[in-house]
């Protein structure tokens, strides 16, 4: 048995970020990971020989540049390459593309609806304003509005000031934006149903809501608030797949003297005299530390790692009621060549980005209805990318890797567990949809890895397969994340902390929760904080 | 200069009448102009078949502000209740119905866990509803502008939430933005109970139980009880129109003139100010202040006209979501319907058909795509049981809110109406076998019908969706949530303003205060 | 979505020449017709459009509800009730939203009209040379139609320079023919194509402002204090409170009561180093404004600039200093140069207004 200053349970990218800062502050830190590999949902694995898969997350934008730079991730091997393009293809073969040049983008919209072309400018101005407001909050610990502690009051005042900085109308717009549906929000800008459908995808990715559900407009922001090299809303690929992010953070962590043990599923957090004393793993090892940090989602953390007796029953109820419904699935496909999309024609640069097959908001909403009715969408919303076109290191020459994110996929089928048969049915639904838009696609398939919520839960440990470690709704955001009163990364037992995506600012490969949690831990230890402040985003 | 001192109120809905009564009490010269030939707007009683009268939109009174009833002496002006304390009966197709009264189960079977949870849920929600209720009598604050008094008003709101105490405050912040479905799932097991409670959250809205905001609408509904109405869920004697009649009497007693059959064609301006109104008859009436009880879109886009407003404001008004989804069913019956396994004395209560939240959600899903729900959810009253004035002897009227019916059905309104009526009667027949044969006459008002008859754009219960993005300082639109509109001398006083619809009267009274306060400031 | 939070300002190094033509085709153009065209424009625009008679053009600005300028441009009253609105920025979204409640038809016809600016002392002579007989009779802001190549050429005496000048409007199918005719017949009058830089110099000399440079269109402003009202752009003369409701009226009345936050001034700056992007200081070295446009003026032989000043600075006679950085052979230097607030345009030759226009 060994003693550590701090143990981090889970080697997801947030756990690793947290561990890196603790180690850098001079603590003796151990990361325990259940799987043989690290990274959690930010992982690359060679599933088919020669093919590097981004098994879960697949694109990068949210990763805080302050942390990227501070941990010198480039020196540790990380490179994020922005991609261009992105396109929606309709049933009738019409296309709507994304372009980096503002004017080209406008003309593309105008082609579908002249007024919408000009409205796009208003739309992006308003969304950017929202991004400007939220970005500086990502690397801050949310204040507790019920508290009278000086720090909370100071932070509330800061928040208030940030909030009022953009003026009275912005405040109203923000209140509306955070509570509206993406469909209503887009309706205030655009007339074309196709344009609305095209833009609405960001409002529902990973969420258990439909485009008509109030609250989805905010989810859109969650996908826009990142950037690649200051280009807000742009996305990129991590060279070598998303595992490269976790690997680089792990490498930084190790350079600070940190230790990682894989194949070490933690079974229990040991609590003695009301404070944590260490952890016990499934294979019978015990590790001691006065600080234990969980990278797992809050529900799993408090319903699986703790003896219920160590927690207050009200708190256990909170944890049980934490909303973490799975709604997404994924297909990872090794291809023998590049699929053709006749609607795009040859060599269309739009193919380098995310491809969708959509027609209308109604089609999106119906996909959600299927989920509510306990089955995967019969016409799912796909976010399809071929990263190997931008990053040839992922596959053998001439071969390709396709990542297909699928919305909606329920955690249970009509209330019962997924069967292998269901999984095949789901796979075929997705492959068929792609096949309808790409005649040569199916003939190129070499291997398909299917992830339903069942696999996401089993392999990554995401409860119900929720990709964000908890839904992004008002009741679970900012000072409500994961639970009101526990948004400052501290758990209900002394010495216990949370650092996963289930904490503020939420899901995505962002590294902010891990860094923020480290700031709080170092504060409690009365050590100087090494965690960088967010850049003033002016 | 008497004209400049005159105040014209467009519309004699209950809010317009409340507003008139308060202004009259303050010795203002008030003229109320109502398009229809009776007062009350969506709070009226009217005949729909020879000898059968019914509360044509609103049929249960549960929000009428106690302070208003008292101050305007509605009792003295003739308002009586036929039944003051309805139970809610959650109808089951098989097994026991649940009879609910506040947080108590009065009959039917519930597991102990649910029974305890029900009391707790009711208390908890009532506390939260009280926070909302407190705001009803206040003008919503402006945030981040407008100076000190606004800051104080905003702080008051914060303080009300904070006064709940730490844990309830956290719970309030957690649930305020979410949906009733999730809250009920975490609290109860019995589907029938959950269904009945879910219906409370979605009546009159464009939301399904799974839509966020539906906790808010439930709290809004409860807020009347929380602030103390004239007795729980009540049926005014003579139908809902009696409330409006009493209000009109109060207004007249104070010196206000109420003219019916006088549809206003436009609100006229002189420079930046209102100068009066022009009636459809061509008659012009001058006034220094015009207060509109009509819905925001109608008032601003039709009566004032977009050209007299600025583009950004017009854009916001046009985006005020106001398509209703609640239909209203009126049946003239030649006898008392027999609801299976329902004790006769219970048939006069509030009967709901909402077997579980998923049922309601499915009903909603159809309406999203422009179809009436094949299996709708219902809130039913048979007021003639308590009030013999409504139907000929031995006969009865059934009044029901039926959800969901889209404002603009994909089929024609006539086709949709016919089919919806058929489905609804079929459904009722399942719960009350033989009912169909008792029907002497029927009337089903879809939202489009409500728009036409009651002049409510979109036919929406609240003149516009009551949701987090359309409440308080966002209602009807940001920048114009304090009753005064961006035309000097023009005010709104109807359900489209804070605190929204329901027969409550608060919007009317707050608007009156805004007018009086504005005069003082000027 | 991608959105770079900065805006391009293109500066092209093109030789300046006083008799020039410039392609205006990419400028955004809208055709506004229908029963309510006039009331629509009068609600949209801050000045009284009823005063712009058929055959006349008016310079104007339009604002949002907060009285902040969305864009400036020109309204052409082509024929009774038939208008063209020209602007730099794209406006279809705002125009369509503003049209609610009006019986108007708004068509963006940017690419259906070819437009060319013909500016400079000999511009009238060139026009006459291509057959626009009587062109000299056009008063400033007049419109006239001339037959050209079995079609019609519309000529307006307008332009974005402070000189005598015209803008020519024609069916794109005949545009090349027009160009050829101009260069063929105009050779003796010294016609030359004109670049963006020349135009930049000319418009600053005239004191004209430009969107994205001297002001940020209000609908594109992310931060609260970045937009400007007409008063703050020295365009108060374009605001007519005597007409009823127009966009921004309430806010502008309020601004007039409370005072503006900024003012736009024309500066004559000591020395010969253009004060591009310079900070302006008061005598106590407080920053009191920034230069938005600056050039050496070859016409006025002065070092000129437009600057946005915090109120109350920028009154004639204020002591102001510009902090100028300039580079010579890769070496940067800094000077503090005294500025003088100038009233009126820097360059305003009598020929600009003279009617009949003279031949040179
Ligand atoms: C299919 C999918 C697609 C996504 N796409 C994107 C995308 O394109 N871009 C983006 O930014 N985000 C995306 N996301 C979201 C993002 O990947 C996650 O929010 C993020 O990676 C979560 O990181 P984390 O460190 O907080 O937690 P996790 O990655 O969940 O890490 C938790 C770790 O804990 C380990 N663990 C679990 N139980 C135990 C135990 N008992 N003992 C020890 N270890 C344990 C797990 O194995 C795991 O390694 C996607 C997610 C999914 C699932
Ligand atoms: C189907 C349905 C069921 C409902 N059930 C209930 C219920 O059970 N309990 C409850 O509390 N609430 C219920 N409500 C809600 C409630 O009826 C309304 O919110 C409330 O009556 C609105 O009152 P108001 O005074 O604000 O507006 P309204 O009642 O709409 O009054 C507006 C008045 O203005 C008049 N008007 C409009 N335009 C003009 C014009 N140009 N010239 C002159 N007059 C004009 C109208 O004729 C009308 O009389 C229900 C609503 C509906 C639609």
């Amino acid at each position: 048995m060994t003693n550590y200053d701090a143990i981090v349970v889970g080697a997801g990218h947030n756990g690793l970020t947290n561990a890196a800062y603790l180690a850098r502050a001079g603590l003796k830190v151990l990361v325990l990971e259940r799987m043989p590999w690290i990274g959690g949902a930010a992982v690359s694995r060679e599933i088919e020989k020669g093919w590097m898969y981004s098994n879960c997350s697949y694109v990068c934008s949210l990763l805080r540049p302050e942390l990227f730079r501070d941990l010198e991730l480039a020196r540790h091997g990380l490179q994020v390459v922005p991609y261009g393009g992105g396109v929606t293809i309709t049933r009738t073969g019409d296309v709507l593309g994304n372009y980096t040049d503002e004017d080209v983008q406008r003309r593309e919209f105008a082609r579908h609806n002249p007024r919408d072309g000009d409205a796009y400018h208003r739309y992006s101005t308003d969304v950017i304003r929202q991004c400007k407001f939220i970005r500086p909050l990502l690397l801050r610990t949310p204040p507790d509005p019920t508290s009278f502690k000086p720090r909370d009051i100071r932070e509330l005042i800061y928040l208030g000031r940030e909030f009022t900085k953009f003026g009275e109308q912005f405040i109203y717009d923000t209140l509306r934006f955070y509570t509206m549906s993406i469909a209503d929000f887009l309706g205030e800008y655009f007339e074309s149903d196709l344009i609305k459908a095209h833009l609405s995808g960001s409002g529902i990715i990973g969420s258990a809501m439909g485009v008509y559900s109030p609250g989805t407009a905010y989810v859109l922001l969650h996908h826009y608030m990142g950037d690649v090299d200051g280009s807000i809303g742009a996305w990129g690929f991590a060279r070598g797949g998303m595992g490269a992010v976790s690997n680089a953070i792990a490498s930084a962590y190790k350079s600070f003297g940190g230790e990682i043990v894989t194949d070490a599923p933690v079974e229990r957090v040991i609590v003695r005299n009301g404070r944590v004393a260490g952890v016990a793993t499934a294979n019978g090892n015990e590790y001691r530390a006065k600080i234990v940090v969980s990278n797992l989602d809050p529900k799993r953390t408090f319903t699986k790692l703790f003896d219920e007796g160590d927690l207050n029953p009200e708190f256990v109820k909170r944890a049980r009621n934490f909303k973490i419904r799975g709604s997404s699935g994924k297909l990872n496909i090794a291809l023998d060549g590049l699929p053709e999309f006749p609607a795009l024609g040859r060599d269309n640069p739009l193919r380098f980005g995310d491809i969708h097959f959509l027609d209308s908001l109604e089609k999106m909403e119906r996909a959600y209805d299927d989920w509510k009715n306990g089955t995967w969408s019969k016409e799912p919303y796909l976010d399809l990318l071929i990263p190997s076109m931008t990053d040839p290191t992922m596959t053998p020459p001439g071969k390709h890797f396709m990542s297909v994110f699928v919305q909606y996929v329920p955690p249970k089928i009509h209330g019962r567990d997924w069967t292998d048969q269901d999984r095949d049915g789901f796979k075929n639904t997705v492959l068929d949809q792609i096949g309808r838009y790409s005649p040569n696609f199916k003939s190129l398939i070499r291997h398909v890895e299917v992830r339903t919520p069942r696999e996401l839960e089993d392999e990554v440990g995401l409860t119900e397969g929720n990709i964000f470690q908890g839904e992004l709704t008002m009741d679970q955001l900012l000072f409500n994340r994961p639970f009101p009163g526990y948004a400052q990364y501290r758990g209900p037992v002394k010495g216990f902390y949370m650092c996963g995506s289930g904490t503020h600012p939420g899901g995505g490969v962002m590294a902010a929760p891990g860094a923020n949690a480290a700031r709080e831990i170092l504060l409690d230890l009365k050590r100087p904080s090494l965690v960088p402040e967010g850049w003033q985003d002016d | 200069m008497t004209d400049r001192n005159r105040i014209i109120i467009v519309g004699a809905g209950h809010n317009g009448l409340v507003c008139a009564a308060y202004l009259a009490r303050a010795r203002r010269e008030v003229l109320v102009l109502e398009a229809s030939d009776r007062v009350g707007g969506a709070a009226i009683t009217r005949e729909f078949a020879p000898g059968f009268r019914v509360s044509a939109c609103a049929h249960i009174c549960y929000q009428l502000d106690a302070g208003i009833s008292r101050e305007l002496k509605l009792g003295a002006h003739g308002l009586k209740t036929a039944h003051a304390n309805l139970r809610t009966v959650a109808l089951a197709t098989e097994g026991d119905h649940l009879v609910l009264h506040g947080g108590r189960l009065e009959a039917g079977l519930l597991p102990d866990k649910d029974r305890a949870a029900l009391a707790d849920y009711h208390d908890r929600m009532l506390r939260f509803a009280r926070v909302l209720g407190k705001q009803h009598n206040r003008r919503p604050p402006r945030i981040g502008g407008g100076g000190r008094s606004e800051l104080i008003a905003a702080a008051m709101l914060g303080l009300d939430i904070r006064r709940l105490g730490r844990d309830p405050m956290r719970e309030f912040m957690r649930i305020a933005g979410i949906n009733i479905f999730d809250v009920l799932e975490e609290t109860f097991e019995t589907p029938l109970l959950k269904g009945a409670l879910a219906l409370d959250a979605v009546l009159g809205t464009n939301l399904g139980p799974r839509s966020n905001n539906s906790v808010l609408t439930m709290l809004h509904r409860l807020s009347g009880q929380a602030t103390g109405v004239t007795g729980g869920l009540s049926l005014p004697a003579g139908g809902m129109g009696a409330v409006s009649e009493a209000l009109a009497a109060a207004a007249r007693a104070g010196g206000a003139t109420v003219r019916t059959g006088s549809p206003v064609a436009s609100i006229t301006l002189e420079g930046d100010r209102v100068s009066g109104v022009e009636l459809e008859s061509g008659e012009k009436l001058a006034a220094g202040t015009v207060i509109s009880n009509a819905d925001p879109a109608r008032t601003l886009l039709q009566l004032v006209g977009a050209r007299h407003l600025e583009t950004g404001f017009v854009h916001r008004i046009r985006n005020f979501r106001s398509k209703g989804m609640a239909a209203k069913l009126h049946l003239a019956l030649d006898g008392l319907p027999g609801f299976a396994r329902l004790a006769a004395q219970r048939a006069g209560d509030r009967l709901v058909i909402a077997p579980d939240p998923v049922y309601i959600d499915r009903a909603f899903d159809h309406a999203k795509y422009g179809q009436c729900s094949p299996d709708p959810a219902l809130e039913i009253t048979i007021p003639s049981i308590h009030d013999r004035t409504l139907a000929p002897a031995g006969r009865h009227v059934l009044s029901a809110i039926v959800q969901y019916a889209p404002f603009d059905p994909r089929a024609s309104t006539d086709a949709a109406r016919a089919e919806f009526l058929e489905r609804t009667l079929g459904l009722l027949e399942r719960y009350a076998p033989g009912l169909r044969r008792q029907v002497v006459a029927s009337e089903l008002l879809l939202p489009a019908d409500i728009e036409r008859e009651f002049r409510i754009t979109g036919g929406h219960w609240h003149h516009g969706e009551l949701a987090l993005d359309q409440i308080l300082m966002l209602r009807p639109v940001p920048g114009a949530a304090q009753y005064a509109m961006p035309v000097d001398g023009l005010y709104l006083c109807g359900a489209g303003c804070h605190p929204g619809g329901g027969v409550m009267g608060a919007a009317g009274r707050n608007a009156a205060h805004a007018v009086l306060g504005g005069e003082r400031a000027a | 979505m991608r959105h770079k939070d900065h805006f391009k300002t293109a500066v092209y190094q093109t030789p300046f020449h006083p008799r020039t033509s410039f392609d205006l085709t990419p400028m955004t153009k809208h055709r506004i017709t229908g029963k309510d065209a006039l009331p629509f424009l009068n609600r949209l625009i801050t000045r009284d459009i009823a005063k712009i008679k058929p055959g006349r053009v008016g310079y104007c600005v339009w604002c949002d509800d907060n009285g902040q300028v969305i864009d400036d441009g020109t309204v052409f009253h082509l024929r009774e009730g038939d208008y063209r609105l020209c602007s730099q920025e794209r406006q279809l979204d705002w125009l369509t939203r503003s049209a609610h409640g009006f019986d108007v038809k708004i068509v963006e016809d940017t690419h259906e009209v070819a437009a060319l600016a013909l500016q400079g002392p000999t511009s009238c002579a060139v026009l006459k040379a291509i057959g626009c007989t009587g062109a000299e009779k056009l008063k400033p802001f007049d419109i006239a139609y001339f037959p050209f190549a079995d079609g019609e050429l519309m000529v307006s005496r307008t332009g974005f320079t402070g000189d005598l000048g015209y803008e020519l409007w024609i069916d794109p199918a005949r545009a090349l023919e027009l160009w050829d005719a101009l260069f063929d017949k105009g050779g003796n009058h010294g016609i030359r194509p004109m670049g963006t830089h020349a135009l930049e110099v000319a418009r600053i000399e005239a004191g004209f402002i430009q969107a994205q440079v001297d002001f940020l269109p209000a609908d594109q402003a992310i931060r609260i204090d970045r937009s400007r009202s007409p008063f703050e752009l020295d365009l108060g003369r374009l605001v007519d409170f005597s007409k009823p409701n127009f966009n921004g009226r309430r806010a502008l009345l309020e601004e007039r009561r409370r005072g503006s936050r900024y003012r736009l001034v024309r500066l004559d700056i000591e020395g010969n180093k253009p004060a591009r992007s310079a900070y302006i200081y008061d005598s106590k070295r407080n920053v009191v404004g920034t230069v938005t446009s600056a050039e050496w003026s070859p016409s006025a032989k002065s070092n000129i600039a437009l600057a946005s000043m915090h109120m109350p600075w920028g009154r004639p006679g204020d002591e102001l200093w510009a902090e100028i950085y300039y580079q010579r052979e890769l070496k940067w230097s800094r000077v503090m140069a005294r500025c003088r607030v100038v009233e009126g345009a820097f360059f305003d030759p009598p020929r600009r207004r003279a009617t009949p226009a003279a031949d040179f």
Side-chain angles (χ1 to χ4, degrees), chain C residues 104-115:
Chain C
V104 289
K105 193 166 148 222
I106 299 168
V107 181
E108 196 216 304
D109 59 357
T110 302
H111 297 287
E112 276 112 69
V113 190

PDB file of all heavy atoms in Angstrom, chain C residues 104-115:
ATOM      1  N   VAL C 104     -45.008  47.275 -49.890  1.00  0.00           N
ATOM      2  CA  VAL C 104     -43.861  47.610 -50.741  1.00  0.00           C
ATOM      3  C   VAL C 104     -43.244  46.340 -51.283  1.00  0.00           C
ATOM      4  O   VAL C 104     -43.378  45.264 -50.711  1.00  0.00           O
ATOM      5  CB  VAL C 104     -42.713  48.337 -50.006  1.00  0.00           C
ATOM      6  CG1 VAL C 104     -43.078  49.722 -49.640  1.00  0.00           C
ATOM      7  CG2 VAL C 104     -42.205  47.557 -48.829  1.00  0.00           C
ATOM      8  N   LYS C 105     -42.537  46.513 -52.357  1.00  0.00           N
ATOM      9  CA  LYS C 105     -41.793  45.407 -52.922  1.00  0.00           C
ATOM     10  C   LYS C 105     -40.324  45.797 -52.860  1.00  0.00           C
ATOM     11  O   LYS C 105     -39.950  46.897 -53.285  1.00  0.00           O
ATOM     12  CB  LYS C 105     -42.238  45.195 -54.364  1.00  0.00           C
ATOM     13  CG  LYS C 105     -41.755  43.899 -54.931  1.00  0.00           C
ATOM     14  CD  LYS C 105     -42.499  43.570 -56.222  1.00  0.00           C
ATOM     15  CE  LYS C 105     -41.548  42.809 -57.119  1.00  0.00           C
ATOM     16  NZ  LYS C 105     -41.585  43.207 -58.498  1.00  0.00           N
ATOM     17  N   ILE C 106     -39.513  44.911 -52.306  1.00  0.00           N
ATOM     18  CA  ILE C 106     -38.093  45.214 -52.188  1.00  0.00           C
ATOM     19  C   ILE C 106     -37.327  44.125 -52.916  1.00  0.00           C
ATOM     20  O   ILE C 106     -37.476  42.945 -52.603  1.00  0.00           O
ATOM     21  CB  ILE C 106     -37.668  45.223 -50.714  1.00  0.00           C
ATOM     22  CG1 ILE C 106     -38.450  46.303 -49.967  1.00  0.00           C
ATOM     23  CG2 ILE C 106     -36.167  45.460 -50.584  1.00  0.00           C
ATOM     24  CD1 ILE C 106     -38.336  46.210 -48.480  1.00  0.00           C
ATOM     25  N   VAL C 107     -36.567  44.536 -53.891  1.00  0.00           N
ATOM     26  CA  VAL C 107     -35.785  43.554 -54.643  1.00  0.00           C
ATOM     27  C   VAL C 107     -34.336  43.992 -54.611  1.00  0.00           C
ATOM     28  O   VAL C 107     -34.022  45.150 -54.873  1.00  0.00           O
ATOM     29  CB  VAL C 107     -36.253  43.491 -56.114  1.00  0.00           C
ATOM     30  CG1 VAL C 107     -35.445  42.451 -56.871  1.00  0.00           C
ATOM     31  CG2 VAL C 107     -37.728  43.170 -56.189  1.00  0.00           C
ATOM     32  N   GLU C 108     -33.487  43.066 -54.239  1.00  0.00           N
ATOM     33  CA  GLU C 108     -32.081  43.403 -54.310  1.00  0.00           C
ATOM     34  C   GLU C 108     -31.643  43.187 -55.750  1.00  0.00           C
ATOM     35  O   GLU C 108     -31.782  42.089 -56.286  1.00  0.00           O
ATOM     36  CB  GLU C 108     -31.266  42.517 -53.378  1.00  0.00           C
ATOM     37  CG  GLU C 108     -29.895  43.110 -53.149  1.00  0.00           C
ATOM     38  CD  GLU C 108     -28.796  42.090 -53.037  1.00  0.00           C
ATOM     39  OE1 GLU C 108     -28.880  41.198 -52.196  1.00  0.00           O
ATOM     40  OE2 GLU C 108     -27.831  42.219 -53.822  1.00  0.00           O
ATOM     41  N   ASP C 109     -31.152  44.242 -56.399  1.00  0.00           N
ATOM     42  CA  ASP C 109     -30.794  44.099 -57.807  1.00  0.00           C
ATOM     43  C   ASP C 109     -29.351  44.509 -58.069  1.00  0.00           C
ATOM     44  O   ASP C 109     -29.006  45.012 -59.134  1.00  0.00           O
ATOM     45  CB  ASP C 109     -31.776  44.870 -58.702  1.00  0.00           C
ATOM     46  CG  ASP C 109     -31.815  46.358 -58.374  1.00  0.00           C
ATOM     47  OD1 ASP C 109     -31.130  46.771 -57.429  1.00  0.00           O
ATOM     48  OD2 ASP C 109     -32.531  47.099 -59.070  1.00  0.00           O
ATOM     49  N   THR C 110     -28.536  44.260 -57.077  1.00  0.00           N
ATOM     50  CA  THR C 110     -27.119  44.605 -57.189  1.00  0.00           C
ATOM     51  C   THR C 110     -26.514  44.155 -58.513  1.00  0.00           C
ATOM     52  O   THR C 110     -25.790  44.901 -59.159  1.00  0.00           O
ATOM     53  CB  THR C 110     -26.351  43.962 -56.016  1.00  0.00           C
ATOM     54  OG1 THR C 110     -26.925  44.443 -54.810  1.00  0.00           O
ATOM     55  CG2 THR C 110     -24.871  44.300 -56.064  1.00  0.00           C
ATOM     56  N   HIS C 111     -26.837  42.940 -58.896  1.00  0.00           N
ATOM     57  CA  HIS C 111     -26.178  42.401 -60.083  1.00  0.00           C
ATOM     58  C   HIS C 111     -26.968  42.646 -61.361  1.00  0.00           C
ATOM     59  O   HIS C 111     -26.563  42.212 -62.431  1.00  0.00           O
ATOM     60  CB  HIS C 111     -25.883  40.913 -59.881  1.00  0.00           C
ATOM     61  CG  HIS C 111     -24.934  40.705 -58.746  1.00  0.00           C
ATOM     62  ND1 HIS C 111     -23.592  41.007 -58.834  1.00  0.00           N
ATOM     63  CD2 HIS C 111     -25.150  40.293 -57.473  1.00  0.00           C
ATOM     64  CE1 HIS C 111     -23.007  40.768 -57.679  1.00  0.00           C
ATOM     65  NE2 HIS C 111     -23.923  40.333 -56.827  1.00  0.00           N
ATOM     66  N   GLU C 112     -28.087  43.335 -61.240  1.00  0.00           N
ATOM     67  CA  GLU C 112     -28.853  43.630 -62.445  1.00  0.00           C
ATOM     68  C   GLU C 112     -28.587  45.031 -62.962  1.00  0.00           C
ATOM     69  O   GLU C 112     -29.118  45.431 -63.994  1.00  0.00           O
ATOM     70  CB  GLU C 112     -30.348  43.456 -62.207  1.00  0.00           C
ATOM     71  CG  GLU C 112     -30.793  42.016 -62.371  1.00  0.00           C
ATOM     72  CD  GLU C 112     -31.238  41.401 -61.070  1.00  0.00           C
ATOM     73  OE1 GLU C 112     -32.284  41.807 -60.561  1.00  0.00           O
ATOM     74  OE2 GLU C 112     -30.514  40.523 -60.548  1.00  0.00           O
ATOM     75  N   VAL C 113     -27.821  45.778 -62.219  1.00  0.00           N
ATOM     76  CA  VAL C 113     -27.494  47.139 -62.645  1.00  0.00           C
ATOM     77  C   VAL C 113     -25.977  47.289 -62.607  1.00  0.00           C
ATOM     78  O   VAL C 113     -25.363  47.028 -61.578  1.00  0.00           O
ATOM     79  CB  VAL C 113     -28.093  48.195 -61.692  1.00  0.00           C
ATOM     80  CG1 VAL C 113     -27.949  49.584 -62.298  1.00  0.00           C
ATOM     81  CG2 VAL C 113     -29.524  47.889 -61.349  1.00  0.00           C
ATOM     82  N   ALA C 114     -25.406  47.699 -63.719  1.00  0.00           N
ATOM     83  CA  ALA C 114     -23.983  48.015 -63.717  1.00  0.00           C
ATOM     84  C   ALA C 114     -23.852  49.494 -63.410  1.00  0.00           C
ATOM     85  O   ALA C 114     -24.640  50.306 -63.890  1.00  0.00           O
ATOM     86  CB  ALA C 114     -23.364  47.703 -65.069  1.00  0.00           C
ATOM     87  N   ALA C 115     -22.894  49.836 -62.589  1.00  0.00           N
ATOM     88  CA  ALA C 115     -22.755  51.236 -62.201  1.00  0.00           C
ATOM     89  C   ALA C 115     -21.297  51.638 -62.231  1.00  0.00           C
ATOM     90  O   ALA C 115     -20.410  50.848 -61.911  1.00  0.00           O
ATOM     91  CB  ALA C 115     -23.333  51.455 -60.821  1.00  0.00           C
TER      92      ALA C 115
END
